[in-house]
Amino acid sequence: MATCEVCGNDYGMTFEVHAQGAVHVFDCFSCAIHRMAPVCEHCRVSIIGQGVEVEGQWFCGAHCAREEGKVGIVDKV
Ligand SMILES: [Zn+2]
Ligand SMILES: [Zn+2]
């Protein structure tokens, strides 16, 4: 049994996410996303997919990266 680190729910089916050497415990994916997902620097959406990292900033896609003046980013289609 473990407690979700986002909402504090004490739940039998919690799961761990190992990321960058740390271990996080969540009771559901929405809590995991809330805690783990980077936020697009342009439109503030939570980045659930791969996202785009440019110069240490995260964007949901190449469009938003370009809107923030980042050049040379192209979505792989
Ligand atoms: Zn939770
Ligand atoms: Zn965006």
Side-chain angles (χ1 to χ4, degrees):
M1 293 279 276
T3 303
C4 174
E5 69 178 52
V6 174
C7 67
N9 187 18
D10 191 356
Y11 180 52
M13 297 290 285
T14 50
F15 58 95
E16 294 180 347
V17 175
H18 295 243
Q20 297 173 351
V23 181
H24 302 278
V25 179
F26 306 107
D27 65 332
C28 61
F29 280 113
S30 61
C31 285
I33 289 166
H34 178 78
R35 176 68 175 80
M36 304 294 294
V39 175
C40 177
E41 298 276 352
H42 181 68
C43 69
R44 316 308 301 173
V45 74
S46 294
I47 301 168
I48 313 301
Q50 290 175 316
V52 181
E53 184 183 9
V54 188
E55 297 163 10
Q57 293 181 295
W58 279 93
F59 301 97
C60 62
H63 169 79
C64 282
R66 281 195 298 268
E67 291 292 308
E68 291 292 315
K70 308 298 181 187
V71 294
I73 310 301
V74 182
D75 275 322
K76 292 191 178 66
V77 184

